[in-house]
Amino acid sequence: MTRIRLHNTRTRRKEDFAPIDAKDVRMYVCGPTVYDRAHLGNARPVVVFDVLYRLLRHVYGVEHVTYVRNFTDVDDKINATALARKQAGAEGTLEQLVQARSDETIGWYLKDMDEVGAMRPNQMPRATEFIAQMIAMIEGLIAEGYAYEKEGHVLFRVREYNDYGKLSGRSVDDMIAGARVEVAPFKEDPMDFVLWKPSTDDLPGWDSPWGRGRPGWHIECSAMAHELLGDSFDIHGGGNDLMFPHHENEIAQSRCAHPEGEFAKVWLHNEMLQVEGKKMSKSLGNFFTVRDLLDKGVPGEVIRFVFLQTHYRKPMDWTSDKAKSAKDTLWNWRRMAQDVISSEVDPEVLEALADDLNTSKAVAVLHRLAKDGNAASLKASAQFLGLLTDELNWVHHLAPQSVLSQPILGRPTLQQFEKTKWEELLIGERAKAMATKDFKELDRLKALLLEAGVEVRMSKAGVELVPGPDFDAAKLESV
Protein backbone atom coordinates (compact mmCIF):
# COMPACT_ATOMS: atom_id res chain seq x y z
CA MET A 1 0.00 0.00 0.00
CA THR A 2 1.17 3.54 -0.79
CA ARG A 3 2.82 5.20 2.19
CA ILE A 4 1.18 8.59 2.80
CA ARG A 5 3.01 11.20 4.87
CA LEU A 6 1.27 14.39 6.00
CA HIS A 7 2.46 17.43 7.94
CA ASN A 8 0.43 17.44 11.15
CA THR A 9 -0.05 20.98 12.43
CA ARG A 10 -0.69 19.62 15.91
CA THR A 11 2.72 17.91 16.18
CA ARG A 12 4.54 20.27 13.77
CA ARG A 13 6.14 17.44 11.85
CA LYS A 14 5.54 15.21 8.87
CA GLU A 15 4.14 11.86 9.94
CA ASP A 16 3.15 8.55 8.39
CA PHE A 17 -0.61 8.60 7.98
CA ALA A 18 -2.18 5.65 9.78
CA PRO A 19 -5.98 5.84 9.76
CA ILE A 20 -7.96 4.84 12.82
CA ASP A 21 -9.80 2.34 10.61
CA ALA A 22 -8.49 1.70 7.09
CA LYS A 23 -12.01 0.62 6.10
CA ASP A 24 -13.49 3.92 7.29
CA VAL A 25 -11.09 6.84 6.67
CA ARG A 26 -12.78 10.06 7.80
CA MET A 27 -11.98 13.69 6.97
CA TYR A 28 -13.69 16.93 7.99
CA VAL A 29 -12.93 20.27 6.30
CA CYS A 30 -14.32 23.63 7.34
CA GLY A 31 -16.51 24.92 4.56
CA PRO A 32 -17.77 28.38 3.63
CA THR A 33 -20.07 30.82 5.36
CA VAL A 34 -22.66 31.18 2.64
CA TYR A 35 -23.46 34.88 2.51
CA ASP A 36 -22.01 35.68 -0.94
CA ARG A 37 -20.01 34.36 -3.88
CA ALA A 38 -16.82 32.41 -3.07
CA HIS A 39 -13.73 34.55 -3.63
CA LEU A 40 -10.57 33.10 -5.13
CA GLY A 41 -9.01 32.46 -1.71
CA ASN A 42 -12.01 30.34 -0.72
CA ALA A 43 -11.26 28.00 -3.61
CA ARG A 44 -7.74 27.14 -2.53
CA PRO A 45 -8.62 24.81 0.38
CA VAL A 46 -11.30 23.24 -1.81
CA VAL A 47 -8.68 22.24 -4.37
CA VAL A 48 -6.11 21.22 -1.72
CA PHE A 49 -8.45 18.85 0.10
CA ASP A 50 -9.96 17.63 -3.15
CA VAL A 51 -6.49 16.36 -4.08
CA LEU A 52 -6.18 14.67 -0.68
CA TYR A 53 -9.64 13.14 -1.11
CA ARG A 54 -8.62 11.71 -4.49
CA LEU A 55 -5.41 10.29 -3.00
CA LEU A 56 -7.21 8.68 -0.05
CA ARG A 57 -9.81 7.12 -2.36
CA HIS A 58 -7.02 5.75 -4.55
CA VAL A 59 -5.12 4.21 -1.64
CA TYR A 60 -7.96 2.99 0.60
CA GLY A 61 -10.80 2.54 -1.90
CA VAL A 62 -13.69 4.74 -2.93
CA GLU A 63 -16.11 3.09 -0.50
CA HIS A 64 -13.78 3.45 2.47
CA VAL A 65 -13.34 7.24 2.59
CA THR A 66 -15.82 9.73 4.04
CA TYR A 67 -15.28 13.42 3.34
CA VAL A 68 -17.43 15.97 5.19
CA ARG A 69 -17.39 19.68 4.38
CA ASN A 70 -19.94 21.90 6.09
CA PHE A 71 -21.90 25.00 5.19
CA THR A 72 -22.19 27.70 7.85
CA ASP A 73 -25.66 29.11 7.24
CA VAL A 74 -26.01 30.91 10.58
CA ASP A 75 -24.26 34.24 10.23
CA ASP A 76 -24.90 37.95 10.80
CA LYS A 77 -24.24 38.79 7.13
CA ILE A 78 -26.82 36.25 5.98
CA ASN A 79 -29.23 37.63 8.57
CA ALA A 80 -28.69 41.18 7.34
CA THR A 81 -29.45 40.22 3.74
CA ALA A 82 -32.59 38.34 4.76
CA LEU A 83 -33.75 41.22 6.97
CA ALA A 84 -33.24 43.70 4.12
CA ARG A 85 -35.34 41.52 1.85
CA LYS A 86 -38.07 41.27 4.45
CA GLN A 87 -38.11 45.04 4.93
CA ALA A 88 -38.35 45.40 1.16
CA GLY A 89 -41.57 43.37 1.22
CA ALA A 90 -40.40 39.81 0.59
CA GLU A 91 -42.86 37.18 1.76
CA GLY A 92 -42.05 34.59 4.42
CA THR A 93 -40.61 34.53 7.92
CA LEU A 94 -37.11 35.74 8.59
CA GLU A 95 -35.97 32.12 9.02
CA GLN A 96 -37.45 31.25 5.62
CA LEU A 97 -35.70 34.21 3.98
CA VAL A 98 -32.41 33.19 5.61
CA GLN A 99 -32.85 29.70 4.20
CA ALA A 100 -33.69 31.09 0.76
CA ARG A 101 -30.52 33.22 0.79
CA SER A 102 -28.47 30.24 1.93
CA ASP A 103 -29.99 28.01 -0.76
CA GLU A 104 -29.10 30.58 -3.40
CA THR A 105 -25.53 31.03 -2.21
CA ILE A 106 -24.90 27.31 -1.72
CA GLY A 107 -26.03 26.76 -5.30
CA TRP A 108 -23.54 29.35 -6.52
CA TYR A 109 -20.76 27.82 -4.44
CA LEU A 110 -21.29 24.28 -5.64
CA LYS A 111 -21.46 25.34 -9.28
CA ASP A 112 -18.26 27.39 -8.98
CA MET A 113 -16.39 24.58 -7.21
CA ASP A 114 -17.60 22.14 -9.88
CA GLU A 115 -16.00 24.48 -12.42
CA VAL A 116 -12.56 24.11 -10.76
CA GLY A 117 -12.87 20.33 -10.87
CA ALA A 118 -13.56 19.66 -7.19
CA MET A 119 -15.36 16.42 -6.41
CA ARG A 120 -18.30 16.96 -4.10
CA PRO A 121 -17.78 15.60 -0.57
CA ASN A 122 -19.75 12.61 0.67
CA GLN A 123 -21.67 14.85 3.05
CA MET A 124 -22.23 18.62 3.06
CA PRO A 125 -24.16 19.39 6.27
CA ARG A 126 -25.71 22.76 7.02
CA ALA A 127 -25.32 24.18 10.50
CA THR A 128 -29.06 24.84 10.77
CA GLU A 129 -29.72 21.10 10.41
CA PHE A 130 -27.77 20.33 13.61
CA ILE A 131 -29.11 22.85 16.12
CA ALA A 132 -30.41 20.08 18.40
CA GLN A 133 -26.98 18.43 18.51
CA MET A 134 -25.35 21.78 19.32
CA ILE A 135 -27.78 22.39 22.18
CA ALA A 136 -27.12 18.89 23.56
CA MET A 137 -23.35 19.41 23.42
CA ILE A 138 -23.65 22.77 25.18
CA GLU A 139 -25.82 21.26 27.91
CA GLY A 140 -23.17 18.62 28.52
CA LEU A 141 -20.41 21.23 28.75
CA ILE A 142 -22.42 23.21 31.32
CA ALA A 143 -23.10 20.07 33.36
CA GLU A 144 -19.37 19.28 33.55
CA GLY A 145 -18.41 22.83 34.50
CA TYR A 146 -16.71 23.71 31.21
CA ALA A 147 -19.33 26.30 30.27
CA TYR A 148 -21.66 28.75 32.00
CA GLU A 149 -24.78 30.75 31.18
CA LYS A 150 -25.18 34.45 31.82
CA GLU A 151 -27.72 36.92 30.44
CA GLY A 152 -28.89 34.46 27.80
CA HIS A 153 -25.33 33.78 26.63
CA VAL A 154 -23.49 30.51 27.13
CA LEU A 155 -19.70 30.71 27.19
CA PHE A 156 -16.88 28.18 27.29
CA ARG A 157 -14.35 28.47 30.11
CA VAL A 158 -11.09 28.44 28.17
CA ARG A 159 -8.87 28.05 31.24
CA GLU A 160 -10.67 24.83 32.18
CA TYR A 161 -9.08 23.13 29.18
CA ASN A 162 -5.37 22.78 29.96
CA ASP A 163 -4.25 22.07 26.38
CA TYR A 164 -5.81 25.21 24.93
CA GLY A 165 -3.34 26.83 22.52
CA LYS A 166 -1.31 23.72 21.65
CA LEU A 167 -2.48 23.67 18.03
CA SER A 168 -1.34 27.24 17.33
CA GLY A 169 1.55 27.07 19.80
CA ARG A 170 0.51 30.01 21.99
CA SER A 171 -0.39 30.33 25.64
CA VAL A 172 -3.71 31.80 26.74
CA ASP A 173 -1.97 34.87 28.18
CA ASP A 174 -0.09 35.43 24.92
CA MET A 175 -3.36 35.19 23.02
CA ILE A 176 -4.96 37.83 25.23
CA ALA A 177 -2.00 40.16 24.69
CA GLY A 178 -1.80 39.63 20.92
CA ALA A 179 -5.37 39.13 19.82
CA ARG A 180 -8.54 41.15 19.74
CA VAL A 181 -10.89 39.59 22.27
CA GLU A 182 -14.40 40.73 22.98
CA VAL A 183 -14.68 42.29 26.43
CA ALA A 184 -18.23 41.83 27.68
CA PRO A 185 -19.87 42.06 31.11
CA PHE A 186 -21.21 38.51 30.82
CA LYS A 187 -17.71 37.00 30.46
CA GLU A 188 -15.83 35.53 33.42
CA ASP A 189 -12.57 35.73 31.44
CA PRO A 190 -11.73 37.76 28.30
CA MET A 191 -10.74 34.56 26.44
CA ASP A 192 -14.01 32.74 27.08
CA PHE A 193 -15.88 32.27 23.82
CA VAL A 194 -19.55 32.12 22.94
CA LEU A 195 -21.37 28.82 22.50
CA TRP A 196 -24.89 30.32 22.38
CA LYS A 197 -26.19 33.87 22.13
CA PRO A 198 -29.65 35.40 22.38
CA SER A 199 -31.61 36.47 19.31
CA THR A 200 -33.82 39.55 19.12
CA ASP A 201 -37.13 39.49 17.27
CA ASP A 202 -35.47 40.74 14.07
CA LEU A 203 -32.96 37.85 14.02
CA PRO A 204 -33.46 34.14 13.35
CA GLY A 205 -33.43 31.98 16.44
CA TRP A 206 -34.22 28.64 18.00
CA ASP A 207 -35.69 27.73 21.37
CA SER A 208 -33.17 26.51 23.93
CA PRO A 209 -32.83 26.06 27.73
CA TRP A 210 -31.27 29.55 27.77
CA GLY A 211 -34.00 31.25 25.77
CA ARG A 212 -34.51 31.91 22.09
CA GLY A 213 -31.13 32.28 20.43
CA ARG A 214 -28.63 30.94 17.94
CA PRO A 215 -25.30 29.09 18.17
CA GLY A 216 -21.84 30.58 18.16
CA TRP A 217 -19.68 29.79 15.14
CA HIS A 218 -17.26 27.33 16.78
CA ILE A 219 -19.81 24.92 18.26
CA GLU A 220 -21.27 24.27 14.81
CA CYS A 221 -18.31 22.32 13.43
CA SER A 222 -17.82 20.37 16.65
CA ALA A 223 -21.43 19.21 16.68
CA MET A 224 -21.51 18.31 12.99
CA ALA A 225 -18.15 16.50 13.07
CA HIS A 226 -19.18 14.46 16.10
CA GLU A 227 -22.55 13.54 14.68
CA LEU A 228 -21.21 12.49 11.28
CA LEU A 229 -17.71 11.18 12.08
CA GLY A 230 -17.76 10.20 15.76
CA ASP A 231 -15.64 10.96 18.85
CA SER A 232 -12.41 10.48 16.89
CA PHE A 233 -11.68 10.83 13.20
CA ASP A 234 -8.60 10.97 11.01
CA ILE A 235 -8.14 14.39 9.42
CA HIS A 236 -9.40 17.91 10.05
CA GLY A 237 -8.50 20.53 7.47
CA GLY A 238 -8.88 24.20 6.62
CA GLY A 239 -7.04 27.41 5.90
CA ASN A 240 -4.40 28.48 8.42
CA ASP A 241 -6.45 31.58 9.18
CA LEU A 242 -8.83 29.21 11.00
CA MET A 243 -6.16 27.78 13.30
CA PHE A 244 -6.93 30.41 15.92
CA PRO A 245 -9.48 30.88 17.25
CA HIS A 246 -11.79 28.55 15.34
CA HIS A 247 -9.83 25.30 15.42
CA GLU A 248 -8.46 25.91 18.92
CA ASN A 249 -12.02 26.38 20.12
CA GLU A 250 -13.26 23.33 18.25
CA ILE A 251 -10.63 21.16 19.94
CA ALA A 252 -11.33 22.54 23.41
CA GLN A 253 -15.09 22.13 23.36
CA SER A 254 -15.00 18.76 21.55
CA ARG A 255 -12.38 17.18 23.83
CA CYS A 256 -14.26 18.41 26.91
CA ALA A 257 -17.66 17.30 25.63
CA HIS A 258 -16.35 13.89 24.53
CA PRO A 259 -13.21 13.12 26.59
CA GLU A 260 -13.35 9.49 25.49
CA GLY A 261 -12.37 10.59 21.97
CA GLU A 262 -9.41 12.30 20.34
CA PHE A 263 -11.47 14.52 18.03
CA ALA A 264 -9.14 14.98 15.02
CA LYS A 265 -5.94 12.93 14.85
CA VAL A 266 -4.24 14.89 12.06
CA TRP A 267 -4.62 18.63 11.37
CA LEU A 268 -3.80 20.07 7.94
CA HIS A 269 -3.75 23.78 7.15
CA ASN A 270 -3.20 25.41 3.79
CA GLU A 271 -1.47 28.78 3.45
CA MET A 272 -3.21 31.88 2.17
CA LEU A 273 -3.54 33.29 -1.33
CA GLN A 274 -2.16 36.56 -2.70
CA VAL A 275 -2.84 38.37 -5.95
CA GLU A 276 0.11 39.79 -7.87
CA GLY A 277 2.21 39.64 -4.70
CA LYS A 278 -0.27 41.44 -2.46
CA LYS A 279 -2.94 40.36 -0.01
CA MET A 280 -6.29 40.25 -1.76
CA SER A 281 -8.50 43.12 -0.64
CA LYS A 282 -11.24 45.29 -2.03
CA SER A 283 -9.33 48.45 -1.12
CA LEU A 284 -6.44 47.41 -3.41
CA GLY A 285 -8.81 46.55 -6.23
CA ASN A 286 -7.44 42.99 -6.46
CA PHE A 287 -10.39 41.22 -4.86
CA PHE A 288 -12.40 38.95 -7.11
CA THR A 289 -14.57 35.88 -6.91
CA VAL A 290 -14.18 32.60 -8.73
CA ARG A 291 -17.21 33.57 -10.79
CA ASP A 292 -15.55 36.86 -11.77
CA LEU A 293 -12.66 34.92 -13.30
CA LEU A 294 -14.91 32.40 -15.00
CA ASP A 295 -17.04 35.17 -16.49
CA LYS A 296 -13.90 36.91 -17.76
CA GLY A 297 -12.94 33.81 -19.70
CA VAL A 298 -10.50 32.12 -17.31
CA PRO A 299 -11.43 28.41 -17.41
CA GLY A 300 -11.86 26.63 -14.09
CA GLU A 301 -9.20 24.13 -15.15
CA VAL A 302 -6.72 27.01 -15.42
CA ILE A 303 -7.57 28.17 -11.89
CA ARG A 304 -7.02 24.64 -10.60
CA PHE A 305 -3.73 24.23 -12.47
CA VAL A 306 -2.33 27.50 -11.13
CA PHE A 307 -3.21 26.37 -7.59
CA LEU A 308 -1.55 22.98 -8.04
CA GLN A 309 1.77 24.54 -9.00
CA THR A 310 2.33 25.73 -5.40
CA HIS A 311 2.63 23.43 -2.38
CA TYR A 312 -0.37 23.83 -0.09
CA ARG A 313 1.75 24.91 2.91
CA LYS A 314 3.32 27.77 0.96
CA PRO A 315 1.65 31.12 0.16
CA MET A 316 0.09 31.01 -3.31
CA ASP A 317 0.48 34.04 -5.56
CA TRP A 318 -2.12 34.34 -8.30
CA THR A 319 -0.82 36.35 -11.27
CA SER A 320 -2.12 36.98 -14.75
CA ASP A 321 1.15 35.63 -16.16
CA LYS A 322 0.68 32.33 -14.32
CA ALA A 323 -2.87 32.09 -15.61
CA LYS A 324 -1.74 32.74 -19.20
CA SER A 325 1.06 30.18 -18.95
CA ALA A 326 -1.29 27.61 -17.40
CA LYS A 327 -3.81 28.10 -20.19
CA ASP A 328 -1.16 27.65 -22.88
CA THR A 329 0.17 24.50 -21.21
CA LEU A 330 -3.25 22.93 -20.79
CA TRP A 331 -4.13 23.75 -24.38
CA ASN A 332 -1.03 21.87 -25.59
CA TRP A 333 -1.63 18.93 -23.25
CA ARG A 334 -5.24 18.62 -24.36
CA ARG A 335 -4.17 18.60 -28.02
CA MET A 336 -1.63 15.90 -27.22
CA ALA A 337 -4.04 13.72 -25.23
CA GLN A 338 -7.32 14.29 -27.08
CA ASP A 339 -7.47 10.94 -28.93
CA VAL A 340 -5.35 8.95 -26.51
CA ILE A 341 -6.53 6.17 -24.18
CA SER A 342 -5.26 6.73 -20.64
CA SER A 343 -2.71 4.32 -19.26
CA GLU A 344 -1.58 4.11 -15.62
CA VAL A 345 -0.87 7.04 -13.31
CA ASP A 346 2.87 7.65 -13.31
CA PRO A 347 4.37 6.28 -10.06
CA GLU A 348 6.29 9.53 -9.53
CA VAL A 349 3.02 11.50 -9.52
CA LEU A 350 1.56 9.20 -6.90
CA GLU A 351 4.78 9.34 -4.89
CA ALA A 352 4.77 13.15 -4.96
CA LEU A 353 1.17 13.41 -3.75
CA ALA A 354 1.79 10.83 -1.01
CA ASP A 355 4.63 13.04 0.23
CA ASP A 356 2.48 15.68 1.97
CA LEU A 357 0.51 16.52 -1.19
CA ASN A 358 3.50 17.79 -3.15
CA THR A 359 1.44 18.95 -6.11
CA SER A 360 4.22 21.17 -7.46
CA LYS A 361 6.45 18.11 -7.85
CA ALA A 362 3.58 16.17 -9.42
CA VAL A 363 3.09 18.97 -11.97
CA ALA A 364 6.82 18.82 -12.80
CA VAL A 365 6.34 15.13 -13.62
CA LEU A 366 3.45 16.05 -15.95
CA HIS A 367 5.74 18.45 -17.81
CA ARG A 368 8.32 15.68 -18.20
CA LEU A 369 5.72 13.26 -19.52
CA ALA A 370 4.57 15.86 -22.07
CA LYS A 371 8.16 16.56 -23.12
CA ASP A 372 8.79 12.83 -23.58
CA GLY A 373 5.63 12.49 -25.66
CA ASN A 374 4.09 10.00 -23.22
CA ALA A 375 0.53 11.13 -23.88
CA ALA A 376 -1.18 8.08 -22.34
CA SER A 377 0.55 8.46 -18.98
CA LEU A 378 0.21 12.25 -19.13
CA LYS A 379 -3.54 11.94 -19.54
CA ALA A 380 -3.95 9.40 -16.72
CA SER A 381 -1.68 11.31 -14.34
CA ALA A 382 -3.25 14.68 -15.11
CA GLN A 383 -6.76 13.28 -14.63
CA PHE A 384 -5.68 11.87 -11.26
CA LEU A 385 -4.94 15.50 -10.33
CA GLY A 386 -8.31 16.61 -11.69
CA LEU A 387 -6.94 17.99 -14.98
CA LEU A 388 -7.68 17.09 -18.62
CA THR A 389 -11.05 15.68 -17.61
CA ASP A 390 -14.08 15.77 -19.90
CA GLU A 391 -15.97 17.82 -17.29
CA LEU A 392 -13.38 20.62 -17.44
CA ASN A 393 -12.92 20.55 -21.22
CA TRP A 394 -13.00 24.23 -22.11
CA VAL A 395 -11.68 23.49 -25.61
CA HIS A 396 -14.73 22.09 -27.36
CA HIS A 397 -13.04 21.43 -30.71
CA LEU A 398 -9.32 20.90 -31.13
CA ALA A 399 -8.71 22.10 -34.65
CA PRO A 400 -9.81 19.53 -37.23
CA GLN A 401 -7.34 19.19 -40.08
CA SER A 402 -9.28 21.19 -42.65
CA VAL A 403 -11.34 23.56 -40.56
CA LEU A 404 -10.41 25.26 -37.29
CA SER A 405 -13.56 26.27 -35.45
CA GLN A 406 -13.85 26.37 -31.68
CA PRO A 407 -15.82 28.52 -29.23
CA ILE A 408 -12.96 29.51 -26.93
CA LEU A 409 -13.69 31.29 -23.63
CA GLY A 410 -17.14 32.42 -24.76
CA ARG A 411 -15.80 34.78 -27.41
CA PRO A 412 -17.48 35.33 -30.81
CA THR A 413 -16.38 32.64 -33.26
CA LEU A 414 -16.11 32.40 -37.01
CA GLN A 415 -17.45 28.91 -37.60
CA GLN A 416 -15.43 28.34 -40.75
CA PHE A 417 -11.83 29.49 -40.32
CA GLU A 418 -10.33 28.23 -43.58
CA LYS A 419 -6.95 26.92 -42.51
CA THR A 420 -5.94 25.57 -45.93
CA LYS A 421 -6.87 28.79 -47.74
CA TRP A 422 -4.89 30.91 -45.28
CA GLU A 423 -1.87 28.65 -45.58
CA GLU A 424 -2.05 28.80 -49.38
CA LEU A 425 -2.38 32.58 -49.22
CA LEU A 426 0.73 32.88 -47.04
CA ILE A 427 2.69 30.53 -49.30
CA GLY A 428 1.78 32.69 -52.32
CA GLU A 429 2.61 35.95 -50.55
CA ARG A 430 5.92 34.55 -49.34
CA ALA A 431 6.85 33.62 -52.92
CA LYS A 432 6.00 37.16 -54.10
CA ALA A 433 7.99 38.69 -51.26
CA MET A 434 11.04 36.59 -52.02
CA ALA A 435 10.89 37.72 -55.63
CA THR A 436 10.20 41.44 -55.02
CA LYS A 437 11.95 41.78 -51.62
CA ASP A 438 8.77 43.53 -50.44
CA PHE A 439 7.54 41.75 -47.28
CA LYS A 440 4.92 44.30 -46.21
CA GLU A 441 1.83 42.27 -47.24
CA LEU A 442 3.24 39.03 -45.87
CA ASP A 443 4.05 40.70 -42.54
CA ARG A 444 0.58 42.25 -42.44
CA LEU A 445 -1.14 38.87 -42.86
CA LYS A 446 1.10 37.24 -40.27
CA ALA A 447 0.35 40.07 -37.82
CA LEU A 448 -3.39 39.61 -38.35
CA LEU A 449 -3.14 35.90 -37.61
CA LEU A 450 -0.99 36.43 -34.54
CA GLU A 451 -3.42 39.04 -33.25
CA ALA A 452 -6.22 36.49 -33.67
CA GLY A 453 -4.27 33.97 -31.58
CA VAL A 454 -2.93 31.81 -34.41
CA GLU A 455 0.68 30.66 -34.32
CA VAL A 456 2.33 30.99 -37.75
CA ARG A 457 5.00 28.39 -38.45
CA MET A 458 6.91 29.01 -41.70
CA SER A 459 9.68 26.75 -42.94
CA LYS A 460 11.16 25.51 -46.20
CA ALA A 461 8.65 22.66 -46.07
CA GLY A 462 5.70 25.03 -46.08
CA VAL A 463 3.36 26.94 -43.77
CA GLU A 464 1.50 25.58 -40.75
CA LEU A 465 -1.13 27.52 -38.80
CA VAL A 466 -1.84 26.45 -35.23
CA PRO A 467 -4.63 28.21 -33.27
CA GLY A 468 -3.72 28.75 -29.63
CA PRO A 469 -5.87 28.87 -26.50
CA ASP A 470 -6.67 32.54 -27.13
CA PHE A 471 -7.80 31.99 -30.73
CA ASP A 472 -10.49 34.53 -31.63
CA ALA A 473 -11.77 33.89 -35.13
CA ALA A 474 -13.90 37.05 -35.03
CA LYS A 475 -10.74 39.07 -35.57
CA LEU A 476 -10.39 37.47 -39.01
CA GLU A 477 -13.95 38.00 -40.14
CA SER A 478 -13.28 41.30 -41.89
CA VAL A 479 -10.09 40.16 -43.62
Side-chain angles (χ1 to χ4, degrees):
M1 181 175 288
T2 302
R3 179 193 184 201
I4 299 176
R5 290 176 59 77
L6 299 172
H7 185 274
N8 190 347
T9 306
R10 183 170 60 84
T11 61
R12 290 166 180 73
R13 64 174 183 267
K14 194 186 295 186
E15 302 171 341
D16 286 349
F17 176 65
I20 298 168
D21 179 359
K23 298 293 185 183
D24 185 20
V25 183
R26 288 159 287 163
M27 176 170 69
Y28 185 96
V29 175
C30 289
T33 301
V34 286
Y35 63 87
D36 207 345
R37 289 277 189 185
H39 62 69
L40 188 62
N42 297 143
R44 191 181 191 197
V46 173
V47 172
V48 167
F49 292 103
D50 177 67
V51 172
L52 178 55
Y53 183 39
R54 291 167 185 265
L55 177 64
L56 294 173
R57 284 161 56 98
H58 177 83
V59 173
Y60 295 100
V62 172
E63 302 300 322
H64 301 305
V65 180
T66 300
Y67 174 19
V68 177
R69 188 184 65 216
N70 74 292
F71 289 113
T72 294
D73 57 349
V74 181
D75 180 79
D76 289 343
K77 291 181 179 178
I78 303 173
N79 298 341
T81 300
L83 183 60
R85 289 183 176 182
K86 187 171 183 63
Q87 292 172 342
E91 295 183 358
T93 65
L94 189 60
E95 285 80 6
Q96 289 171 332
L97 292 173
V98 166
Q99 182 174 355
R101 175 59 173 174
S102 298
D103 290 345
E104 177 183 44
T105 313
I106 287 172
W108 292 343
Y109 180 86
L110 291 175
K111 190 173 188 305
D112 291 347
M113 295 309 107
D114 288 347
E115 292 271 7
V116 299
M119 298 173 64
R120 294 193 180 185
N122 302 99
Q123 299 190 62
M124 296 182 286
R126 298 189 188 196
T128 53
E129 299 170 341
F130 291 81
I131 299 296
Q133 289 86 343
M134 296 176 205
I135 291 173
M137 183 176 283
I138 294 170
E139 287 181 310
L141 290 170
I142 292 175
E144 294 298 323
Y146 292 111
Y148 57 95
E149 185 271 336
K150 191 171 183 180
E151 299 178 18
H153 294 78
V154 181
L155 297 106
F156 183 87
R157 290 188 173 101
V158 166
R159 295 186 189 272
E160 287 296 317
Y161 180 63
N162 294 331
D163 287 340
Y164 192 86
K166 283 195 173 181
L167 182 69
S168 56
R170 293 179 288 179
S171 70
V172 174
D173 292 332
D174 288 341
M175 291 178 188
I176 293 175
R180 291 184 225 167
V181 293
E182 180 187 4
V183 178
F186 49 79
K187 281 189 174 187
E188 293 178 355
D189 187 288
M191 284 300 294
D192 293 350
F193 59 87
V194 172
L195 300 173
W196 189 265
K197 51 190 173 184
S199 288
T200 58
D201 292 339
D202 60 349
L203 289 172
W206 292 263
D207 292 332
S208 80
W210 320 286
R212 183 175 176 275
R214 60 198 192 279
W217 173 33
H218 314 298
I219 195 69
E220 297 173 11
C221 286
S222 286
M224 287 184 281
H226 180 264
E227 181 71 15
L228 299 173
L229 300 177
D231 297 336
S232 302
F233 56 94
D234 297 294
I235 299 170
H236 195 311
N240 67 358
D241 58 325
L242 299 178
M243 194 184 308
F244 176 81
H246 185 51
H247 289 164
E248 288 284 12
N249 293 352
E250 273 191 75
I251 293 171
Q253 63 202 9
S254 295
R255 293 295 299 274
C256 291
H258 304 287
E260 67 279 9
E262 189 179 3
F263 193 47
K265 186 178 179 182
V266 178
W267 287 83
L268 267 64
H269 292 91
N270 65 274
E271 258 286 359
M272 295 295 98
L273 176 140
Q274 297 178 322
V275 175
E276 304 288 350
K278 297 179 180 179
K279 182 179 178 180
M280 188 167 65
S281 71
K282 292 180 179 178
S283 62
L284 293 176
N286 65 350
F287 180 95
F288 43 84
T289 67
V290 173
R291 181 51 52 182
D292 289 335
L293 285 177
L294 295 171
D295 288 346
K296 289 178 181 177
V298 179
E301 185 179 41
V302 169
I303 297 172
R304 184 182 185 90
F305 190 37
V306 172
F307 284 178
L308 293 178
Q309 292 176 63
T310 302
H311 191 276
Y312 78 94
R313 288 197 300 111
K314 294 182 179 180
M316 214 290 295
D317 189 18
W318 173 275
T319 69
S320 57
D321 286 345
K322 285 182 180 179
K324 175 66 167 63
S325 176
K327 186 165 60 176
D328 291 344
T329 298
L330 289 168
W331 169 269
N332 291 328
W333 288 357
R334 281 194 173 274
R335 285 173 61 88
M336 180 184 298
Q338 62 177 319
D339 296 321
V340 173
I341 298 174
S342 298
S343 61
E344 297 294 323
V345 176
D346 189 283
E348 288 187 42
V349 170
L350 187 58
E351 180 184 337
L353 296 183
D355 183 17
D356 197 29
L357 303 183
N358 194 339
T359 55
S360 56
K361 185 176 180 180
V363 168
V365 177
L366 297 185
H367 281 289
R368 176 180 58 76
L369 293 172
K371 183 179 179 182
D372 294 345
N374 191 344
S377 185
L378 170 66
K379 188 172 186 177
S381 302
Q383 289 182 339
F384 187 65
L385 283 163
L387 303 170
L388 304 191
T389 63
D390 292 339
E391 293 80 8
L392 296 188
N393 190 358
W394 48 281
V395 182
H396 302 292
H397 303 285
L398 290 179
Q401 288 191 355
S402 60
V403 177
L404 299 176
S405 60
Q406 59 270 11
I408 302 296
L409 309 182
R411 293 178 177 174
T413 61
L414 182 63
Q415 291 302 314
Q416 299 296 323
F417 168 49
E418 303 288 349
K419 177 186 176 185
T420 303
K421 289 184 179 180
W422 273 92
E423 288 176 346
E424 291 176 351
L425 178 61
L426 288 178
I427 290 171
E429 288 299 330
R430 181 172 67 172
K432 290 180 185 178
M434 295 295 290
T436 64
K437 305 304 180 185
D438 183 358
F439 291 86
K440 290 181 181 178
E441 181 60 15
L442 179 63
D443 290 341
R444 185 184 75 84
L445 294 174
K446 287 168 60 178
L448 288 171
L449 288 163
L450 290 171
E451 176 64 23
V454 180
E455 182 183 353
V456 181
R457 300 176 182 175
M458 303 187 75
S459 66
K460 292 181 179 179
V463 175
E464 182 183 9
L465 302 180
V466 181
D470 290 319
F471 173 57
D472 186 356
K475 293 182 178 180
L476 300 175
E477 286 181 337
S478 60
V479 179

